[in-house]
Amino acid sequence: MQYNITCETLNIWNIGSVSRSYIRVLHAVPDAPNVDVYADDQLIAKDLAFGKYTDYIPVPEWNYDIAVYATGTKTNPVLENMLMVRPDTIQTVAAVGTLNTIGLLAIPDRTAGNAPGKSMVRFSHLSPNAPAVDITLPDGTILFRNVSFKQLTNYLTVNLMSYTLQVRPTGTSTVVLTVPNVNLKPGMVYTIYAIGLVGKEPELSALLVMDGMNQ
């Protein structure tokens, strides 16, 4: 289990009274090097390694040109795409796939839970060579069913306890990944990202990330 380990994040916008939104950047491309990330030619994340993500960055509403370069370079981006940031939104911007199929995935995040004394959790499948999966409890109870690469589930409201989660190819009892000791805080919202590769390095793993500005 990996938890929130941030890279150097650069806040370069003086947004003043402008409507404020937030983005963070997640590196989920298993065969890509550490990267620097630019928005409209402004450096927003430096030396971001696979499986790491930034803190949330306040940004104005805008349609940004997002460019991703191998760290320390500024030519031949490994990824370049447009990202629309609408007012008063929070999102995780993930580089996904492999170097041959790399793309940008914008994931809307929730700020807080809606049930007192409980948490909310969802699942995002970002392993480029893994099949569609079910997320289950050890007794086989299915929490999230048939989630394919780049798909994102809805948030599920859950009781506060220590969970062990299992990842299984959809419709099978084969466990390809066990995620123990998932402890959630009351009122908080989380995403569990499946990253890495099945049968290759870096191996399949889970990244538990707290969403929203109340973290």
Side-chain angles (χ1 to χ4, degrees):
M1 176 70 68
Q2 301 180 51
Y3 292 93
N4 187 2
I5 304 172
T6 60
C7 77
E8 180 179 351
T9 306
L10 303 172
N11 180 10
I12 44 76
W13 282 284
N14 180 12
I15 62 178
S17 61
V18 174
S19 178
R20 178 174 300 196
S21 297
Y22 295 87
I23 63 172
R24 65 180 170 195
V25 183
L26 167 64
H27 183 338
V29 182
D31 61 345
N34 291 12
V35 296
D36 296 336
V37 182
Y38 292 79
D40 285 354
D41 209 37
Q42 300 291 325
L43 183 65
I44 61 170
K46 183 177 180 181
D47 199 25
L48 187 63
F50 168 71
K52 301 299 188 291
Y53 55 98
T54 70
D55 293 323
Y56 284 107
I57 307 162
V59 295
E61 173 190 5
W62 191 250
N63 192 24
Y64 292 94
D65 179 16
I66 303 295
V68 180
Y69 298 88
T71 291
T73 71
K74 194 73 186 299
T75 58
N76 301 319
V78 297
L79 169 63
E80 188 169 13
N81 210 335
M82 301 302 295
L83 172 71
M84 172 59 73
V85 175
R86 302 191 182 280
D88 303 314
T89 57
I90 303 174
Q91 57 186 316
T92 296
V93 181
V96 300
T98 65
L99 276 176
N100 289 331
T101 63
I102 191 169
L104 201 65
L105 185 65
I107 301 170
D109 294 336
R110 187 178 178 124
T111 298
N114 58 9
K118 297 190 177 184
S119 296
M120 300 184 76
V121 64
R122 64 181 177 179
F123 175 73
S124 178
H125 184 331
L126 300 186
S127 172
N129 76 335
V133 296
D134 297 333
I135 309 303
T136 75
L137 299 178
D139 65 3
T141 300
I142 297 176
L143 302 179
F144 304 108
R145 186 187 301 272
N146 195 26
V147 187
S148 299
F149 176 57
K150 293 197 290 188
Q151 284 190 333
L152 176 72
T153 72
N154 293 325
Y155 286 103
L156 178 68
T157 300
V158 296
N159 294 322
L160 299 180
M161 57 182 289
S162 180
Y163 291 91
T164 294
L165 303 180
Q166 295 180 337
V167 180
R168 312 184 188 198
T170 293
T172 76
S173 60
T174 302
V175 177
V176 296
L177 178 65
T178 297
V179 187
N181 303 319
V182 178
N183 298 303
L184 309 177
K185 296 180 180 180
M188 298 294 102
V189 290
Y190 300 83
T191 300
I192 300 172
Y193 293 97
I195 60 173
L197 299 168
V198 175
K200 298 181 180 180
E201 295 291 334
E203 65 183 6
L204 187 67
S205 63
L207 186 66
L208 177 64
V209 179
M210 190 180 292
D211 298 335
M213 299 310 299
N214 295 325
Q215 56 183 301

